[in-house]
């Protein structure tokens, strides 16, 4: 990126990858990517090579999150450079292979944009996750997707289930995202904008006994209330013997990933976030 | 059972088993049974021995439905009498062991009542499943549980997730069921009653292509509408290219187990049922 008169300049985004099945039991992405691998008409855009790709085919086949280890946590520098070949955990091998095809991560040969499609059992609606709050290209894309009328009400989706409303919502997000990339590549300038985001603060575990066993559930007042304010003193957990545990933080937070099935093993009942407004500068093709 | 003046007489129900974890990722039963194994005060009733039991501990540990094969389909005469010991699939060995402890199935030594606790990703609310429409003891127990104010609104529960409202609803059902057994054992006569039930008719698979791949999802108009009428001509599936497939049956049915995660592998999108009113005769202890 370079900047001129406060307008950030980025290279064209010619090569775009669309990943499904990074978690093999998250069915919307698996189904969309399989569909587009058979017929890519829907993801074709002028001057954009969009490649649909199943990242964890063994987990997809078993309809499980992963086989040996979570692929979504496997793209570490250590893993990507680890020797060992077939002796490595399946997902580490897979991360290396994906890095060979679509990377190397951070190199000039790497793909320009990667969409990684996920589902959650939390009541989060359509969620776009960014790694950086300073990436003006992605912030502009987020803004474009939101402006693109994404008011659909979607609910949580259990693992191994395909719900039509969530499937269609994901499809619409990808449509807008690819439209944005096409317009950008054609030289359209996107004016400065603000984007409302939630920044991750803290991971909150379930209450546990001395042996590490969970002794409480997400409180019914908090269940399904992703993105809504949680204030000091609000109910947070309910113990199996009916006691309420209240949030003890010093200020209002916005919980999300509340009661996500896959996070029990990660010792996470939910994640707290704070609301922020980010400013994206104008962007145009370099 | 014997009958006198239209009052059916049953032996006391002294020995009651409460099974959790028959599917290892259905968390309400797993959690309740684990709780009661630590402290059984809640399930103690006069003259009743209530035994909480985790039926598939390996699947519970892995938080998966099963390890080798579905335990809930493993209690067949062939499996229960199969030789082979350690060479048998894990769940077949387990079925044999459970049959030794709580059976033998159909024998006089078998436990009097077994509660097997499950969850579903379908929007079925609290559901009691009976094997026979002519079992007046169980019909009376169903009636007692329903009368016992079970109007809680519960939703679907993803695999691997524990939702407090579903956990509490299951707990209340078990409370009423055990209360009923205690009253029955004490000699209380339960007068004749009628019970509204849904009788299983047919299993409906997802539409598939020539290779067996699913090509449509449960239609948004049908999703979450378990127990509600489905009429000929109503939308049933939505194909990935947006076409609606309508129900073609000859009359109204009541679908359930709509979009249950575990039934994709069983080639079931939902099950149709018809509404019936069953009459339970009066019952009293023999």
């Amino acid at each position: 990126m370079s900047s001129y008169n406060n307008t950030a300049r980025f290279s064209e985004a010619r090569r775009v990858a669309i990943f499904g099945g990074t978690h093999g039991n998250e069915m919307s992405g698996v189904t969309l990517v399989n569909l587009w691998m058979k017929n890519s008409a829907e993801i074709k855009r002028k001057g954009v090579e969009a490649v649909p790709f199943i990242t964890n085919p063994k987990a997809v086949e078993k309809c499980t999150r992963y086989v040996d280890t979570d692929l979504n946590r496997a793209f570490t520098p250590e893993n990507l450079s680890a020797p060992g070949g077939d002796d490595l955990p399946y997902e580490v091998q897979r991360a290396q292979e994906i890095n060979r095809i679509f990377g190397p991560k951070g190199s000039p040969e790497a793909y320009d944009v990667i969409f990684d499609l996920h589902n959650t059992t939390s009541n989060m609606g359509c969620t776009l996750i960014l790694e950086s709050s300073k990436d003006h290209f992605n912030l502009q894309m987020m803004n474009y997707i939101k402006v693109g009328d994404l008011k659909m009400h979607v609910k949580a989706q259990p693992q191994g289930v395909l719900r039509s409303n969530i499937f269609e919502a994901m499809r619409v997000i990808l449509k807008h995202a690819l439209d944005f990339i096409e317009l950008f590549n054609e030289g359209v300038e996107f004016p400065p904008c603000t984007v409302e985001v939630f920044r991750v603060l803290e991971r909150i575990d379930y209450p546990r006994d001395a042996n590490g066993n969970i002794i409480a559930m997400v409180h019914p007042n908090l269940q399904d209330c992703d993105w809504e304010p949680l204030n000091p003193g609000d109910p947070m957990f309910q113990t199996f013997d009916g006691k309420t545990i209240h949030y003890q933080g010093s200020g209002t937070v916005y919980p999300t990933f509340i009661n996500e099935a896959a996070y029990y093993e990660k010792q996470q009942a939910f994640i707290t976030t704070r609301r922020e407004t980010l400013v994206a500068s104008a962007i145009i093709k370099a």
Side-chain angles (χ1 to χ4, degrees), chain A residues 208-250:
Chain A
R208 294 173 188 270
D209 66 16
N211 299 320
N213 296 313
I214 288 174
I215 56 165
M217 305 167 282
V218 168
H219 193 279
N221 289 19
L222 179 59
Q223 178 69 50
D224 297 331
C225 296
D226 302 73
W227 310 123
E228 294 177 25
L230 179 72
N231 296 303
D234 283 351
M236 179 169 63
F237 294 111
Q238 187 173 51
T239 67
F240 296 139
D241 47 3
K243 293 193 192 75
T244 296
I245 297 174
H246 300 88
Y247 178 59
Q248 304 285 351
S250 57

Side-chain angles (χ1 to χ4, degrees), chain A residues 42-175:
Chain A
E42 192 176 329
I43 55 171
K44 277 208 163 60
R45 296 292 186 281
K46 226 181 308 162
V48 181
E49 182 203 0
V51 178
F53 188 79
I54 295 287
T55 43
N56 196 336
K58 272 199 192 174
V60 169
E61 200 188 320
K62 295 184 171 189
C63 197
T64 185
R65 186 173 174 90
Y66 55 79
V67 177
D68 292 329
T69 185
D70 193 333
L71 177 60
N72 209 25
R73 309 288 185 278
F75 291 87
T76 60
E78 298 72 32
N79 279 345
L80 295 181
S81 62
D86 289 353
D87 294 338
L88 292 170
Y90 172 69
E91 277 85 2
V92 175
Q93 295 180 45
R94 201 62 198 153
Q96 292 185 348
E97 194 174 340
I98 292 165
N99 193 47
R100 273 194 297 275
I101 303 174
F102 298 98
K105 207 176 169 181
S107 76
E109 303 89 64
Y111 269 54
D112 302 301
V113 178
I114 291 178
F115 297 105
D116 191 21
L117 309 182
H118 288 264
N119 292 121
T120 172
T121 68
S122 304
N123 190 34
M124 291 168 61
C126 298
T127 301
L128 307 170
I129 300 179
L130 297 186
E131 291 206 354
S132 159
S133 58
K134 290 170 190 140
D135 181 332
H136 297 274
F137 180 87
N138 280 332
L139 286 173
Q140 285 282 0
M141 178 153 59
M142 249 179 87
N143 184 56
Y144 184 89
I145 292 170
K146 285 179 76 176
V147 170
D149 175 35
L150 203 74
K151 294 289 172 214
M152 286 162 289
H153 180 67
V154 299
K155 297 202 295 183
Q157 179 167 285
Q159 297 172 345
V161 166
L162 183 65
R163 289 179 69 103
S164 59
N165 58 342
I166 293 177
F167 176 85
E168 293 300 341
M170 188 178 274
R171 198 171 193 168
V172 169
I173 290 175
L174 260 291
K175 176 200 174 312

